Amino acid sequence: MSETTTAAETAAPHRYTAALAADIEARWQDFWEKQGTYEAPNPGDGPLGGEPARTALPKKFIMDMFPYPSGAGLHVGHPLGYIATDVYARYSRMTGHNVLHTLGFDAFGLPAEQYAVQTGTHPRVSTEANMVQMKAQLRRLGLGHDQRRSFATIDPEYYRWTQWIFLQIFNSWYDPEAKAARPIAELVEQFASGARETPEGWGPWHELSERERADLLGEYRLAYASDAPVNWSPGLGTVLANEEVTADGRSERGNFPVFKAKLRQWNMRITAYADRLLEDLDELDWPEAIKLQQRNWIGRSEGARIAFPLGDQHIDVFTTRQDTLFGATYMVLAPEHPLVDSVVPDVWPEGTREAWTGGYATPAEAVAAYRAQAEAKSDVERQAEAKDKTGVFTGAYATNPVSRESVPVFIADYVLMGYGTGAIMAVPAHDQRDFEFARAFELPMRCVVEPTDGRGLDPAAWQDAFSSYDATLVNSANHDISLDGLGVAEAKERMRRWLEEHELGEGTVNYRLRDWLFSRQRYWGEPFPIVYDEDGIAHALPESMLPLELPEVEDYSPRTFDPDDADTSPETPLSRNEEWVNVTLDLGDGKGPRRFRRETNTMPNWAGSCWYELRYLDPHNDERLVDPEAERYWMGPREGMPHGGVDLYVGGQEHAVLHLLYARFWSKVLYDLGHISSSEPFHRLFNQGMIQAYVYRDARGIAVPAAEVEERDGAYYYQGEKVSRLLGKMGKSLKNAVTPDEICAEYGADTLRLYEMAMGPLDVSRPWDTRAVVGQFRLLQRLWRNVVDETSGEVTVVDTEPDEATLRAVHKAIDGVTQDMAGLRFNTAIAKITELNNHVTKLREVPRSVAETLVLLVAPLAPHIAEELWRRLGHDETVVYRDFPVADPAYLVDETVTCVVQIKGKVKARLEVSPSVSEADLEAAALAEPAIVKALGGAEVRKVIVRAPKLVNIVPA
């Protein structure tokens, strides 16, 4: 006996141990890979087709959210969703489905670029090394992926099509009449033929220069470049989309301050799809919380657009409360509003209050100073409810269109250009922010909605604004219109009609959603397939020039600045490669070779994940985005899925707005243009919870290695010093990460899979406890012993029929596990398998049919041991495509049930009866029961209440 061999192992050399698990798992992983076990065929005779029998089956497309290949590798929290989708995919194969399940890598983005900046390693080198490590870790878990379909977004043959999709969006416009995207060429043809007039102020199409035509089309294109306020993060050296800025006005990645700056950037006109993005949510099988987040982010609100005359101009405002127009006593513009410069007079108007001037001698000085102050604040800081209201008078007055009163026009940072029109009519009596501003600047207030709380009609005596939809209008009449006495809804409608009749406004819909900022000042991203001519006009590269590959650069980092220095602007890494930027190209437009300048921004990291589900369907197609037959087969609309999409998509809820909203937008554009049949990418969405871990911190608040902490008398110690414990995220920086490699080495991958699925409901976060893993290891050891003799290694099952009790246990387990698997309730499925396994353990001999059923039930969860036992039970074919057991209904009904017999409501006896016993037979049996005869003592029975088969209540006379 060697020093490393225990006496127990010598006595039981065929026991299921970590070493045996490792051997079994490695062998079956090699087998699956060699045999192409998980390869899912496409319909037709293409590269992935050719299996009509399989494609004739009902199909299931099961997806995980794109992983990023981190250099830190996986900890045990990462594979939770991957194991869950693998279990569901395996169950689906066993229930007769053709299952597409694969995994690629979302490999562009900031982490690899930052690593490159720190180390000088090319981002591709570090990213590909990370992918190799992650693939090895995922393979060890036994995940059943179709490896033929895997790819990374950094592969030029993949991002060629990302660039192609960008060009489809660039060359499209949204036709509001068709409510769909159409080719921009159709719009050009309409302008050229006169079928559609150019907008007011542009002149006829044939009189426009090439520059003017390009600018006009930019007003329509779904992808367009514009000078607009953007979120600028000096600390990152890049601009960010609204969705990438946190609630406290900082960058989601890196936590740097974010400022408003005006830059020329690429945008996606996602706002054109706001209504469709809202409406189609109703027919998606998504968690309601995620739908609500998308609805709130889109932020649809109905109201009116109203014009307030100001000299020979007018200020447009959007309001949802046009009924309160008589109560508008001043106006506020966002500091960035384009009208500000044109309305500021040279001197303060006579009678201007000192509180309005900010202490400056002229309106121009006051406005310039306030603008500089506002630019240094984030949108969140500007809208903070608790902050003191600040602002300055522009020196201009507008006219309230119904009261005809002059109202002063201020600028204030609590009004944003990003919502509505960047201007508001202030109704201080009925809006709390306006109320606070009016108090601070001594502005008048007028009550136009009668308070229902008894505070009276004089706002000067109020402590706060009164706002209600369940109230009556007052003080709202002129010679032409009266709202007095109307309810809010009726008043809003009457005011809308009046505004439209007098051409002072119109009913309209507004959205919180802004166009998607699509430019990043980074290196490690998809290059834009756009070049600019000497006049600065943007031109699309022809498809023959795709992919436009990333060039080499000496310095990967964008220029970063002091995180708090708002007076900075981007400098991109690509701009440093002059040879790549400035090129001579023939674009095939009949103008021959010309000099062009390439776009030096790159696409955001979201670009590659906007359409990757489509590439999984047809990953090697170099002629088109996706084969239409394959796309219709896997994702096309069908019963219960009117918009089509992936059958099951599993990932974290942190992508509620960013990725999911963007992917939905791209799908709708591609659908409109006829490239795909599915207008939604993901039909069913499931958000898995998080595996958490305890974080231990010393007196300085620094995390200490969790594995080295000792527990004594309910307290925790590290190297003799007391430490605090708090449940939180798992991660390398918190020194509490547990790798799947560690658990696989100690127990095997099947045990890790079972433990993660057994920890609790899949959609609930749960704490990791390494000590509890052994429970699932013991389950597999008992399962092994039910089939294999630990001493001889021989199969011990017998060819006899199970007894009645075992048959009932087996079929109840089948029924329960089947329902749980279909509902992604893997923790309760494991509990039912454990219960059956424990029953079988007590049998003197294990019938073959029972052992085989157990193996099939556990196969989706613990596939390696299932394959091994299935083979040892004498089967040559893989367990992967065996039919999942089906319960016999006859064994799901209990043979007997317990009937409680009461006298005057008190239990006097219990009877074991058939579940199908009749009320008459049950009454007779209850009255004949000796205990009941004795309890009645000869008394007459006045009434017997029978609720077969479980209750009889006897009422004596």
Side-chain angles (χ1 to χ4, degrees):
M1 182 168 62
S2 72
E3 294 181 5
T4 58
T5 304
T6 67
E9 288 171 333
T10 302
H14 298 280
R15 175 171 293 171
Y16 184 80
T17 62
L20 180 57
D23 174 67
I24 290 171
E25 289 164 4
R27 281 192 289 105
W28 282 107
Q29 287 161 19
D30 290 343
F31 173 87
W32 294 330
E33 186 173 312
K34 183 179 179 180
Q35 298 296 320
T37 301
Y38 303 110
E39 293 178 357
N42 280 350
D45 298 323
L48 301 182
E51 294 186 51
R54 284 275 299 282
T55 55
L57 297 171
K59 61 87 201 172
K60 280 216 175 145
F61 184 5
I62 299 166
M63 268 182 63
D64 300 279
M65 287 190 182
F66 238 179
Y68 186 85
S70 165
L74 298 176
H75 60 63
V76 292
H78 291 126
L80 178 67
Y82 307 149
I83 295 171
T85 54
D86 187 62
V87 172
Y88 185 70
R90 290 175 180 278
Y91 167 75
S92 298
R93 291 188 191 97
M94 295 177 74
T95 52
H97 292 83
N98 185 23
V99 176
L100 193 166
H101 188 216
T102 189
L103 194 71
F105 296 92
D106 191 10
F108 275 126
L110 201 54
E113 186 173 285
Q114 289 176 326
Y115 185 76
V117 171
Q118 294 164 8
T119 64
T121 307
H122 194 286
R124 178 175 287 279
V125 173
S126 60
T127 301
E128 289 182 344
N130 295 343
M131 285 192 287
V132 169
Q133 178 189 11
M134 190 168 174
K135 285 177 180 178
Q137 289 183 298
L138 294 172
R139 185 181 190 272
R140 192 171 184 182
L141 296 173
L143 302 179
H145 294 147
D146 184 343
Q147 297 296 346
R148 305 170 305 165
R149 299 175 183 266
S150 184
F151 55 79
T153 54
I154 59 175
D155 300 338
E157 54 269 28
Y158 178 81
Y159 70 72
R160 164 195 177 179
W161 294 103
T162 307
Q163 294 170 336
W164 182 87
I165 295 172
F166 174 84
L167 293 180
Q168 307 312 301
I169 300 173
F170 173 72
N171 286 319
S172 302
W173 66 294
Y174 192 80
D175 183 348
E177 295 175 7
K179 295 184 178 179
R182 307 299 308 144
I184 199 76
E186 292 183 7
L187 182 64
V188 171
E189 184 180 344
Q190 291 174 16
F191 283 147
S193 68
R196 180 185 295 270
E197 293 185 4
T198 56
E200 185 178 349
W202 283 92
W205 178 259
H206 67 274
E207 294 180 5
L208 300 180
S209 66
E210 186 179 4
R211 167 85 262 177
E212 289 170 330
R213 289 180 179 182
D215 289 345
L216 173 56
L217 293 178
E219 299 292 318
Y220 290 85
R221 292 186 188 273
L222 287 176
Y224 65 95
S226 69
D227 294 312
V230 296
N231 301 305
W232 164 237
S233 175
L236 282 177
T238 189
V239 299
L240 301 169
N242 290 344
E243 295 87 346
E244 294 172 301
V245 181
T246 64
D248 55 355
R250 303 178 75 86
S251 63
E252 183 186 50
R253 188 177 291 276
N255 197 36
F256 291 108
V258 176
F259 304 95
K260 282 296 181 186
K262 198 166 188 179
L263 299 169
R264 189 162 188 82
Q265 302 288 300
W266 282 97
N267 297 272
M268 293 274 182
R269 209 178 298 274
I270 191 173
T271 49
Y273 282 80
D275 278 330
R276 283 172 62 184
L277 289 167
L278 273 174
E279 292 163 4
D280 292 351
L281 275 174
D282 294 337
E283 292 172 296
L284 298 182
D285 184 5
W286 286 19
E288 283 304 319
I290 301 297
K291 290 185 179 182
L292 181 61
Q293 286 186 64
Q294 290 218 351
R295 290 187 181 108
N296 289 343
W297 190 261
I298 295 169
R300 186 182 191 277
S301 53
E302 294 186 14
R305 190 177 292 265
I306 305 173
F308 281 69
L310 196 167
D312 58 357
Q313 304 183 83
H314 61 267
I315 300 174
D316 279 336
V317 303
F318 170 81
T319 177
T320 60
R321 291 297 301 271
Q322 61 267 27
D323 55 303
T324 64
L325 183 53
F326 280 96
T329 57
Y330 65 97
M331 300 191 74
V332 184
L333 304 180
E336 309 87 352
H337 198 289
L339 273 179
V340 173
D341 290 328
S342 65
V343 303
V344 174
D346 295 330
V347 297
W348 292 115
E350 186 175 347
T352 298
R353 297 181 183 182
E354 186 175 343
W356 296 5
T357 68
Y360 290 92
T362 66
E365 291 173 327
V367 167
Y370 189 79
R371 276 178 154 176
Q373 174 186 327
E375 283 176 5
K377 297 179 182 178
S378 70
D379 286 358
V380 174
E381 290 174 317
R382 287 170 57 168
Q383 291 195 298
E385 293 292 338
K387 80 177 189 71
D388 294 332
K389 294 297 180 286
T390 63
V392 70
F393 180 41
T394 63
Y397 285 86
T399 302
N400 183 316
V402 288
S403 69
R404 308 307 300 169
E405 295 173 342
S406 291
V407 292
V409 180
F410 285 74
I411 59 171
D413 61 9
Y414 76 93
V415 177
L416 306 177
M417 277 305 298
Y419 182 77
T421 64
I424 65 165
M425 63 175 208
V427 184
H430 306 294
D431 180 275
Q432 187 61 29
R433 292 182 309 165
D434 297 346
F435 183 91
E436 292 167 0
F437 191 91
R439 280 284 167 88
F441 289 88
E442 304 169 9
L443 289 158
M445 292 187 266
R446 178 179 297 112
C447 174
V448 293
V449 180
E450 185 174 10
T452 55
D453 56 7
R455 66 172 68 188
L457 297 178
D458 182 10
W462 298 356
Q463 299 302 310
D464 56 13
F466 174 80
S467 180
S468 173
Y469 275 83
D470 186 20
T472 301
L473 275 291
V474 294
N475 299 326
S476 298
N478 63 22
H479 69 281
D480 208 21
I481 182 175
S482 174
L483 306 181
D484 291 344
L486 300 180
V488 170
E490 188 179 355
K492 287 174 68 174
E493 178 59 20
R494 182 172 294 185
M495 180 58 76
R496 180 195 63 77
R497 291 198 306 269
W498 186 87
L499 289 167
E500 291 177 351
E501 289 167 1
H502 291 76
E503 297 184 347
L504 292 168
E506 61 181 353
T508 190
V509 175
N510 196 60
Y511 300 89
R512 179 179 180 268
L513 180 68
R514 301 293 92 192
D515 281 346
W516 174 15
L517 178 67
F518 202 69
S519 294
R520 296 295 181 273
Q521 290 67 50
R522 318 238 31 124
Y523 170 70
W524 195 232
E526 297 92 339
F528 281 93
I530 293 290
V531 292
Y532 300 91
D533 64 21
E534 293 178 349
D535 295 324
I537 299 172
H539 297 267
L541 289 181
E543 290 181 27
S544 61
M545 292 186 183
L546 302 182
L548 173 61
E549 297 194 34
L550 268 176
E552 296 297 323
V553 296
E554 293 183 5
D555 182 2
Y556 305 116
S557 58
R559 185 181 177 191
T560 57
F561 304 87
D562 180 332
D564 296 307
D565 187 357
D567 296 324
T568 51
S569 57
E571 178 187 300
T572 64
L574 289 183
S575 64
R576 301 178 192 132
N577 189 326
E578 292 279 345
E579 192 174 308
W580 183 82
V581 173
N582 298 299
V583 291
T584 299
L585 300 172
D586 185 346
L587 300 183
D589 54 5
K591 297 183 180 180
R594 289 189 289 162
R595 291 291 289 170
F596 292 98
R597 176 178 54 84
R598 295 194 192 277
E599 172 63 71
T600 59
N601 288 310
T602 53
M603 298 186 197
N605 61 301
W606 309 105
S609 61
C610 274
W611 72 282
Y612 70 119
E613 71 283 353
L614 296 171
R615 194 61 176 174
Y616 282 152
L617 309 180
D618 195 13
H620 308 298
N621 196 330
D622 58 3
E623 296 182 356
R624 60 196 313 165
L625 180 73
V626 60
D627 177 71
E629 186 180 8
E631 190 274 332
R632 281 193 303 272
Y633 174 78
W634 290 111
M635 292 187 62
R638 49 209 173 276
E639 187 177 354
M641 300 170 65
H643 304 294
V646 171
D647 294 276
L648 176 65
Y649 192 39
V650 174
Q653 58 184 321
E654 66 271 15
H655 295 298
V657 171
L658 289 158
H659 157 59
L660 291 173
L661 197 63
Y662 297 158
R664 296 182 63 216
F665 165 54
W666 276 35
S667 284
K668 292 186 184 302
V669 176
L670 292 171
Y671 170 79
D672 288 351
L673 298 176
H675 298 299
I676 58 176
S677 67
S678 49
S679 60
E680 285 285 345
F682 315 115
H683 174 72
R684 184 184 180 193
L685 174 69
F686 190 96
N687 296 130
Q688 88 272 14
M690 181 188 299
I691 290 183
Q692 300 170 304
Y694 286 109
V695 183
Y696 299 89
R697 297 185 184 275
D698 62 19
R700 300 167 299 168
I702 296 175
V704 301
E708 299 175 30
V709 172
E710 297 178 355
E711 182 181 357
R712 297 198 301 268
D713 301 323
Y716 303 93
Y717 297 86
Y718 172 69
Q719 296 181 345
E721 298 293 327
K722 195 172 184 180
V723 294
S724 65
R725 184 180 83 155
L726 188 67
L727 193 61
K729 286 186 177 181
M730 182 180 286
K732 191 175 180 181
S733 64
L734 297 173
K735 300 182 180 178
N736 63 353
V738 179
T739 69
D741 308 66
E742 297 172 53
I743 305 302
C744 288
E746 189 168 357
Y747 298 106
D750 279 339
T751 294
L752 173 61
R753 290 170 60 103
L754 277 172
Y755 177 65
E756 294 214 2
M757 295 299 95
M759 291 171 72
L762 185 59
D763 57 349
V764 174
S765 294
R766 73 295 301 269
W768 176 268
D769 183 359
T770 299
R771 294 169 300 180
V773 177
V774 70
Q776 299 307 316
F777 184 57
R778 288 173 181 152
L779 165 62
L780 295 180
Q781 287 183 313
R782 288 192 295 271
L783 173 63
W784 182 265
R785 282 197 300 269
N786 281 331
V787 180
V788 177
D789 183 276
E790 292 182 334
T791 302
S792 66
E794 297 296 320
V795 172
T796 58
V797 300
V798 295
D799 292 317
T800 59
E801 288 301 313
D803 59 47
E804 186 80 7
T806 299
L807 280 172
R808 292 189 181 281
V810 166
H811 287 278
K812 283 187 175 181
I814 293 171
D815 183 57
V817 172
T818 299
Q819 294 181 48
D820 289 342
M821 287 286 189
L824 306 181
R825 297 186 297 273
F826 304 129
N827 60 318
T828 53
I830 292 170
K832 292 178 176 69
I833 291 171
T834 303
E835 184 179 353
L836 175 61
N837 196 49
N838 290 342
H839 174 94
V840 175
T841 301
K842 297 171 187 175
L843 298 178
R844 188 172 60 86
E845 293 181 319
V846 178
R848 175 179 294 276
S849 62
V850 174
E852 292 185 346
T853 297
L854 257 175
V855 169
L856 293 171
L857 289 177
V858 84
L861 294 149
H864 307 91
I865 193 173
E867 285 278 28
E868 183 71 14
L869 291 175
W870 192 248
R871 186 60 58 97
R872 291 188 181 224
L873 284 166
H875 301 283
D876 294 330
E877 77 284 3
T878 174
V879 76
V880 170
Y881 291 101
R882 289 293 299 188
D883 289 342
F884 201 75
V886 177
D888 185 339
Y891 292 106
L892 300 182
V893 179
D894 289 331
E895 192 173 8
T896 63
V897 296
T898 300
C899 175
V900 173
V901 184
Q902 301 173 335
I903 297 178
K904 292 185 178 180
K906 293 184 179 181
V907 177
K908 297 297 182 179
R910 287 179 170 86
L911 306 177
E912 293 300 315
V913 300
S914 166
S916 59
V917 65
S918 68
E919 290 190 358
D921 289 345
L922 186 56
E923 178 179 340
L927 292 173
E929 171 66 24
I932 297 301
V933 173
K934 182 179 178 181
L936 286 171
E940 290 188 15
V941 175
R942 181 166 62 89
K943 188 176 184 182
V944 180
I945 302 168
V946 181
R947 297 289 182 265
K950 293 188 175 182
L951 176 67
V952 176
N953 190 21
I954 300 169
V955 183

